[in-house]
Amino acid sequence: MIFINLLLLLISCSNNKVEISDIHFPVKKNVFLKDIKCRVSNSIYVADMLTYEVPQFEDFDFFNENFDGEIEPNSATYCGKNYLKFIGNREDINGFQIHIWTKNESEKLLATLLNHLGKPNFEDDGGFEKYFIWEESDKIFILRQGYDAIIQDVKTTESDLLCLDTSNLINVAISASSNTKYSDYLEYILKNKKSISIYPYSVYKQNNK
């Protein structure tokens, strides 16, 4: 598995792009992020997790699409540049986060996920924000979109996508989906030592009507 991950990385780098949808987690941090000067921060979801923000989002694709956009700054206060962070610890990377401030790219992100992953396994519409969750064997994709965001006086659709290795980052998934019933499901499978691939949300929902 480690050899396959390294091979995928080398192939991607030879094309000057890293295709993050092809990554099979976990990957070794020192190998995957070698020579990339990331900004390291504590995760907002779980205290003992770290995030590694890459300096050049344009060097990474997601399902052959690039999401390196921004809302142009118009004041000293600025937070409108899309970013990519990898999630893990000091040894391994077990997932990533894409954050998007721009409306057009938020729409493209949702369309890309629907095109490649199909219908979500879970949806929750809270009015001002909506959750879409896909279960993909060893990965889970959690997309949260907010429809009333205003960045630099521009009304936009803000998106936050997490792709997580469920065997290592299920606590992150629980925290990220805490406003939904899907979080209850994740807590259930964690407590009962079940896997998403064997006991998906659809089965849990059927058994808990």
Side-chain angles (χ1 to χ4, degrees):
M1 182 63 72
I2 293 175
F3 173 77
I4 293 173
N5 286 332
L6 292 176
L7 181 60
L8 287 171
L9 178 60
L10 289 172
I11 292 172
S12 299
C13 288
S14 68
N15 296 322
N16 298 318
K17 290 281 188 177
V18 177
E19 175 51 69
I20 58 177
S21 68
D22 289 337
I23 301 172
H24 295 279
F25 300 111
V27 293
K28 289 298 179 184
K29 189 263 293 183
N30 288 338
V31 175
F32 183 69
L33 297 177
K34 182 181 179 181
D35 300 326
I36 301 177
K37 295 183 179 179
C38 297
R39 185 169 68 179
V40 184
S41 304
N42 292 321
S43 170
I44 63 172
Y45 295 108
V46 177
D48 60 348
M49 285 289 143
L50 298 173
T51 62
Y52 300 85
E53 183 175 348
V54 301
Q56 302 294 332
F57 194 178
E58 65 266 24
D59 293 338
F60 297 82
D61 280 350
F62 180 58
F63 287 119
N64 298 313
E65 299 285 352
N66 191 267
F67 294 91
D68 178 49
E70 65 180 313
I71 295 176
E72 294 293 337
N74 61 12
S75 70
T77 302
Y78 175 56
C79 60
K81 185 172 177 59
N82 302 343
Y83 60 80
L84 168 66
K85 295 181 178 181
F86 290 98
I87 306 170
N89 52 39
R90 298 189 184 278
E91 300 293 330
D92 298 316
I93 299 297
N94 289 293
F96 61 80
Q97 174 190 15
I98 294 175
H99 196 92
I100 293 178
W101 303 99
T102 52
K103 182 177 181 180
N104 288 343
E105 287 175 310
S106 284
E107 293 171 351
K108 184 173 77 169
L109 178 60
L110 177 57
T112 297
L113 287 161
L114 291 171
N115 183 47
H116 288 275
L117 302 180
K119 183 180 178 181
N121 299 91
F122 176 87
E123 291 185 55
D124 183 85
D125 190 348
F128 64 95
E129 67 177 8
K130 189 170 183 178
Y131 285 83
F132 305 86
I133 299 176
W134 291 265
E135 299 165 352
E136 289 289 310
S137 60
D138 61 336
K139 295 179 184 177
I140 182 172
F141 294 83
I142 302 174
L143 174 64
R144 178 178 57 81
Q145 291 195 322
Y147 303 110
D148 292 328
I150 297 178
I151 307 297
Q152 298 298 327
D153 299 324
V154 175
K155 187 175 182 180
T156 186
T157 299
E158 183 181 353
S159 296
D160 195 76
L161 173 69
L162 292 171
C163 173
L164 306 169
D165 174 7
T166 54
S167 62
N168 291 291
L169 292 182
I170 194 167
N171 285 335
V172 175
I174 290 172
S175 177
S177 61
S178 61
N179 293 330
T180 73
K181 293 180 179 179
Y182 196 84
S183 181
D184 298 333
Y185 156 68
L186 292 175
E187 290 180 346
Y188 173 84
I189 65 172
L190 178 63
K191 179 180 178 181
N192 292 277
K193 298 181 179 180
K194 296 179 180 290
S195 69
I196 288 177
S197 58
I198 296 176
Y199 194 81
Y201 177 76
S202 58
V203 175
Y204 170 82
K205 182 179 179 182
Q206 182 67 31
N207 292 341
N208 289 272
K209 283 186 174 181

PDB file of all heavy atoms in Angstrom, residues 22 28 56 98 114 147:
ATOM      1  N   ASP A  22      -6.865  10.581  -5.617  1.00  0.00           N
ATOM      2  CA  ASP A  22      -6.253   9.262  -5.790  1.00  0.00           C
ATOM      3  C   ASP A  22      -5.493   8.784  -4.555  1.00  0.00           C
ATOM      4  O   ASP A  22      -5.006   7.643  -4.544  1.00  0.00           O
ATOM      5  CB  ASP A  22      -5.280   9.277  -6.974  1.00  0.00           C
ATOM      6  CG  ASP A  22      -5.985   9.362  -8.310  1.00  0.00           C
ATOM      7  OD1 ASP A  22      -7.176   8.986  -8.377  1.00  0.00           O
ATOM      8  OD2 ASP A  22      -5.351   9.819  -9.286  1.00  0.00           O
ATOM      9  N   LYS A  28       2.760   8.627   4.600  1.00  0.00           N
ATOM     10  CA  LYS A  28       3.750   9.186   5.503  1.00  0.00           C
ATOM     11  C   LYS A  28       3.910  10.685   5.242  1.00  0.00           C
ATOM     12  O   LYS A  28       4.162  11.101   4.111  1.00  0.00           O
ATOM     13  CB  LYS A  28       5.089   8.478   5.345  1.00  0.00           C
ATOM     14  CG  LYS A  28       5.085   7.059   5.899  1.00  0.00           C
ATOM     15  CD  LYS A  28       4.809   7.057   7.402  1.00  0.00           C
ATOM     16  CE  LYS A  28       4.767   5.662   7.975  1.00  0.00           C
ATOM     17  NZ  LYS A  28       4.411   5.677   9.429  1.00  0.00           N
ATOM     18  N   GLN A  56       0.782  26.480  -2.174  1.00  0.00           N
ATOM     19  CA  GLN A  56       0.354  26.645  -3.562  1.00  0.00           C
ATOM     20  C   GLN A  56      -0.779  25.665  -3.870  1.00  0.00           C
ATOM     21  O   GLN A  56      -0.550  24.535  -4.307  1.00  0.00           O
ATOM     22  CB  GLN A  56       1.533  26.408  -4.514  1.00  0.00           C
ATOM     23  CG  GLN A  56       2.738  27.301  -4.291  1.00  0.00           C
ATOM     24  CD  GLN A  56       2.443  28.764  -4.595  1.00  0.00           C
ATOM     25  OE1 GLN A  56       1.586  29.075  -5.421  1.00  0.00           O
ATOM     26  NE2 GLN A  56       3.137  29.667  -3.925  1.00  0.00           N
ATOM     27  N   ILE A  98     -10.612  20.998   1.961  1.00  0.00           N
ATOM     28  CA  ILE A  98     -10.653  22.060   0.955  1.00  0.00           C
ATOM     29  C   ILE A  98     -11.660  23.092   1.423  1.00  0.00           C
ATOM     30  O   ILE A  98     -12.815  22.757   1.698  1.00  0.00           O
ATOM     31  CB  ILE A  98     -11.074  21.519  -0.427  1.00  0.00           C
ATOM     32  CG1 ILE A  98     -10.025  20.563  -0.981  1.00  0.00           C
ATOM     33  CG2 ILE A  98     -11.307  22.663  -1.402  1.00  0.00           C
ATOM     34  CD1 ILE A  98     -10.434  19.901  -2.289  1.00  0.00           C
ATOM     35  N   LEU A 114     -20.832  15.188  -7.130  1.00  0.00           N
ATOM     36  CA  LEU A 114     -21.992  14.451  -7.635  1.00  0.00           C
ATOM     37  C   LEU A 114     -21.632  13.647  -8.877  1.00  0.00           C
ATOM     38  O   LEU A 114     -22.086  12.510  -9.057  1.00  0.00           O
ATOM     39  CB  LEU A 114     -23.137  15.419  -7.944  1.00  0.00           C
ATOM     40  CG  LEU A 114     -23.798  16.101  -6.742  1.00  0.00           C
ATOM     41  CD1 LEU A 114     -24.752  17.193  -7.200  1.00  0.00           C
ATOM     42  CD2 LEU A 114     -24.544  15.071  -5.885  1.00  0.00           C
ATOM     43  N   TYR A 147     -24.909  29.391   2.576  1.00  0.00           N
ATOM     44  CA  TYR A 147     -25.445  30.181   1.470  1.00  0.00           C
ATOM     45  C   TYR A 147     -25.583  31.668   1.779  1.00  0.00           C
ATOM     46  O   TYR A 147     -25.973  32.442   0.899  1.00  0.00           O
ATOM     47  CB  TYR A 147     -26.803  29.619   1.050  1.00  0.00           C
ATOM     48  CG  TYR A 147     -26.729  28.163   0.666  1.00  0.00           C
ATOM     49  CD1 TYR A 147     -27.299  27.174   1.472  1.00  0.00           C
ATOM     50  CD2 TYR A 147     -26.057  27.767  -0.476  1.00  0.00           C
ATOM     51  CE1 TYR A 147     -27.210  25.835   1.131  1.00  0.00           C
ATOM     52  CE2 TYR A 147     -25.965  26.424  -0.830  1.00  0.00           C
ATOM     53  CZ  TYR A 147     -26.542  25.469  -0.025  1.00  0.00           C
ATOM     54  OH  TYR A 147     -26.449  24.144  -0.363  1.00  0.00           O
TER      55      TYR A 147
END
